[in-house]
Amino acid sequence: PFDVTEKFNYNIISQLLELPSEDVRSIIANQKKSFYRFRPLTIKQHINFEIRSQLEENKLDLPGMFFEEFPARIYPNDANLTHVLGYLRAVTDQVKKEQNHDYKFGDIHGFSGIEKVYESSLRGKDGTEYHLVDIYGIDHGIVVDTPPISSIPGKPLHLTIESKLQFFIEQLFEGKQGAVICMNPLSGEVLAYLSAPDYNLNSFVGPVPQDIWDTWNQDDSHPLLNRGIQGLYPPGSTMKLIAVAHALEEEMVSEKWVVNCSGSYTLGDRTFHCWNTGGHGQIDMFHAIINSCNIYFYQLIQKLSLKDWKKMAENFGFGTVSGIDLYGEEAGNIPGTEYMNNKYGKFGWSTGNLLTFVIGQGDILVTPIQVVQMMNLIASRGNTHSPILHINNSSDEFNLSFQSSTWDFLQDAIWNVVNHKDGTGKLARIEGVDIHGKTGTAQNPQGEDHSWFAGYMLIDNDPIISVTVLVEHGGKGSIEGTMIARKIFNFVLQNELIQ
């Protein structure tokens, strides 16, 4: 049979497409050996009109060449929503083996984000069109006697994201690294989701070009890291609420239990410090939360067992995945006896390690999605749902049963964190608005501390939005993270976004 590649002018296509002629020869040669050798193959995607015109002029020297519109998803220009949407990549032989889809040579697939999670419903099904091609590879049009098979478009996917809020947060966080997650505390709907820095989905159409992919991977700021579910951080003082919940539920100590904070606390041969070096003086549990007093919690954790404290943290959702409809979520780490023995040896750790755990330091690692879920549980008094992004999907219930008095105490204490004159979260306060929250400062061996704020806002006594802000290298949680949270709450109020 006649081989059209004998008449194919590789030099022309190499020059116009800026591809080495050997690469073009290799693409065609490999295709000829495959089962799909009679089907079209892609030499280059996304050429402009000028290049196409020049190729058309040389069509007789390029037998078998034709142009095809390429299906691609276009993203809105206002809100990026990068780490939620994810991106597309070309299908590889490995993907064909692993996934139960009728992928063909040259296809693309969802590689991350909801593009990957909902790939089967988003992609639809290809159609088929039959063309008459002569022995020189020249296309003479559609074969009318053989009807085409219509393609089936993918299903629309509606997200829970509030686009105006998402865009505002993206602008607010410009130039920063970290994560922001906003949710409905009762339903589990994710209202905004930011991981910064992100990557620009609008810089290309369709699958990610290799050069852009390489740039993302080599960037020291790690834009591909989805910090909301994959970033692992010490939670800082946000973790103090776990010890309080455990102490009250198990009646280990009363909320009236008082400790003297002199600014430091000595255990064995080690001295542990409070952030307030001058000390808080005589302080009870309520004011220890408001002032985020470390000394109080150093002594509180010694009245609790590591096993029971770990179990309480897990009840709040730490140490496990939240179940959000995104791939790659990390579980984090809530250390227990087994973990500590394996890492340090049975006699290589002591009570001193617990003092770091209770204030959210040491071997504890959490994700921002876990911290916002803790706030959802407090806001809903233990009756929330797992996070969800697809508006038509059902979300699993996430429940935690406490005495009413425990929920009352937690809610009252974190309201005062924001609204009391000495509260560490007072920069989040908005006059006349019911905002609760907890700050955290997470020690960072690579530089300045990370800044946390986690809280929620009520309208007419109903929790309408929870917010977790993590600013990498942001310093004290009482400043950077808290100020950003206030702007978010204020934006929601002013724009009446959530009712």
Side-chain angles (χ1 to χ4, degrees):
F2 180 79
D3 186 353
V4 298
T5 59
E6 293 178 2
K7 293 177 61 64
F8 198 89
N9 192 324
Y10 291 96
N11 291 330
I12 291 176
I13 203 163
S14 173
Q15 291 171 8
L16 292 176
L17 297 183
E18 297 181 350
L19 290 172
S21 60
E22 288 306 313
D23 288 358
V24 180
R25 289 178 183 273
S26 176
I27 292 171
I28 295 175
N30 290 337
Q31 182 74 354
K32 285 170 62 181
K33 297 175 184 177
S34 74
F35 175 78
Y36 298 109
R37 61 188 179 278
F38 298 113
R39 296 187 182 181
L41 67 147
T42 303
I43 294 179
K44 188 168 184 179
Q45 297 172 346
H46 318 310
I47 63 172
N48 60 36
F49 178 77
E50 181 181 351
I51 297 297
R52 174 169 177 166
S53 299
Q54 294 180 57
L55 289 169
E56 291 275 18
E57 292 173 1
N58 293 276
K59 200 166 185 178
L60 291 177
D61 292 315
L62 302 168
M65 179 196 69
F66 70 98
F67 304 94
E68 185 178 49
E69 291 185 358
F70 185 79
R73 298 169 192 152
I74 307 299
Y75 306 100
N77 290 320
D78 50 357
N80 293 332
L81 199 61
T82 303
H83 289 88
V84 168
L85 295 176
Y87 51 89
L88 307 168
R89 296 209 73 190
V91 169
T92 63
D93 290 337
Q94 186 65 29
V95 171
K96 289 180 185 178
K97 293 177 183 177
E98 292 175 354
Q99 299 193 28
N100 187 27
H101 295 301
D102 186 23
Y103 289 127
K104 298 184 293 297
F105 182 83
D107 276 355
I108 58 175
H109 71 115
F111 191 81
S112 71
I114 61 168
E115 291 282 13
K116 181 172 183 177
V117 176
Y118 297 106
E119 161 77 1
S120 58
S121 61
L122 285 171
R123 71 176 288 103
K125 292 186 177 180
D126 292 337
T128 303
E129 193 174 74
Y130 299 92
H131 286 242
L132 183 64
V133 180
D134 64 22
I135 61 171
Y136 299 105
I138 297 175
D139 186 351
H140 291 275
I142 298 173
V143 180
V144 272
D145 294 337
T146 307
I149 300 171
S150 299
S151 60
I152 301 174
K155 297 177 183 178
L157 190 148
H158 301 282
L159 300 181
T160 59
I161 298 294
E162 169 50 63
S163 60
K164 289 181 180 178
L165 178 61
Q166 178 71 28
F167 179 67
F168 173 76
I169 293 173
E170 288 174 0
Q171 300 303 301
L172 193 62
F173 225 73
E174 190 170 348
K176 295 180 174 62
Q177 290 185 191
V180 179
I181 301 174
C182 302
M183 290 180 62
N184 181 317
L186 301 178
S187 69
E189 292 179 331
V190 179
L191 305 174
Y193 187 106
L194 171 76
S195 174
D198 61 5
Y199 43 88
N200 186 4
L201 290 172
N202 291 316
S203 63
F204 55 88
V205 177
V208 180
Q210 188 63 43
D211 59 338
I212 294 179
W213 168 260
D214 291 340
T215 299
W216 290 349
N217 270 302
Q218 294 164 12
D219 192 330
D220 290 339
S221 66
H222 307 294
L224 291 177
L225 178 66
N226 189 341
R227 285 164 162 82
I229 60 171
Q230 295 174 329
L232 297 173
Y233 307 91
S237 292
T238 61
M239 204 68 182
K240 291 173 179 175
L241 300 178
I242 302 300
V244 168
H246 177 48
L248 294 178
E249 273 299 288
E250 300 301 321
E251 299 180 352
M252 307 297 291
V253 300
S254 159
E255 63 188 68
K256 299 183 186 302
W257 182 58
V258 173
V259 163
N260 180 56
C261 171
S262 63
S264 63
Y265 175 75
T266 300
L267 179 69
D269 59 355
R270 290 184 62 187
T271 299
F272 298 82
H273 298 278
C274 186
W275 68 266
N276 182 350
T277 56
H280 292 104
Q282 296 289 110
I283 192 167
D284 60 14
M285 184 182 289
F286 187 74
H287 290 90
I289 296 174
I290 295 171
N291 292 276
S292 202
C293 174
N294 290 348
I295 306 302
Y296 188 93
F297 288 93
Y298 291 151
Q299 299 196 45
L300 176 61
I301 192 64
Q302 294 178 68
K303 294 184 174 293
L304 314 177
S305 74
L306 176 59
K307 178 182 177 182
D308 291 340
W309 171 86
K310 174 181 167 65
K311 179 63 176 174
M312 179 59 72
E314 291 170 344
N315 288 341
F316 269 94
F318 294 105
T320 187
V321 296
S322 70
I324 189 172
D325 39 348
L326 290 174
Y327 278 110
E329 183 177 3
E330 295 283 352
N333 182 50
I334 300 298
T337 302
E338 183 179 358
Y339 170 88
M340 297 299 288
N341 287 344
N342 288 337
K343 182 173 181 179
Y344 299 104
K346 188 173 182 181
F347 302 105
W349 61 282
S350 64
T351 304
N353 293 92
L354 307 189
L355 271 60
T356 62
F357 294 168
V358 75
I359 63 168
Q361 303 291 167
D363 292 86
I364 298 177
L365 292 172
V366 305
T367 61
I369 196 76
Q370 292 171 339
V371 175
V372 76
Q373 275 292 72
M374 176 179 69
M375 281 298 158
N376 289 338
L377 283 168
I378 296 174
S380 66
R381 301 176 73 87
N383 296 294
T384 186
H385 286 75
S386 58
I388 193 75
L389 285 160
H390 187 347
I391 204 166
N392 293 325
N393 275 11
S394 59
S395 177
D396 294 334
E397 290 185 0
F398 182 28
N399 300 319
L400 183 55
S401 179
F402 283 165
Q403 304 172 69
S404 229
S405 58
T406 300
W407 292 125
D408 289 342
F409 181 85
L410 288 170
Q411 290 183 339
D412 192 21
I414 63 175
W415 184 89
N416 278 279
V417 167
V418 174
N419 296 279
H420 192 280
K421 64 180 178 63
D422 296 326
T424 57
K426 60 187 176 184
L427 289 180
R429 184 184 179 209
I430 300 174
E431 190 66 37
V433 181
D434 200 353
I435 295 173
H436 299 60
K438 183 71 187 78
T439 61
T441 305
Q443 294 176 2
N444 172 31
Q446 278 76 46
E448 193 169 1
D449 294 342
H450 301 319
S451 176
W452 284 97
F453 177 90
Y456 58 90
M457 180 171 66
L458 284 72
I459 297 292
D460 297 329
N461 295 321
D462 292 326
I464 64 164
I465 184 171
S466 57
V467 174
T468 284
V469 178
L470 167 71
V471 185
E472 293 182 9
H473 319 295
K476 287 186 177 180
S478 59
I479 300 176
E480 185 76 2
T482 303
M483 291 171 63
I484 291 173
R486 183 185 187 279
K487 291 176 181 177
I488 294 171
F489 288 133
N490 205 37
F491 182 83
V492 170
L493 288 168
Q494 290 179 348
N495 291 273
E496 300 180 346
L497 294 182
I498 304 163
Q499 298 295 335

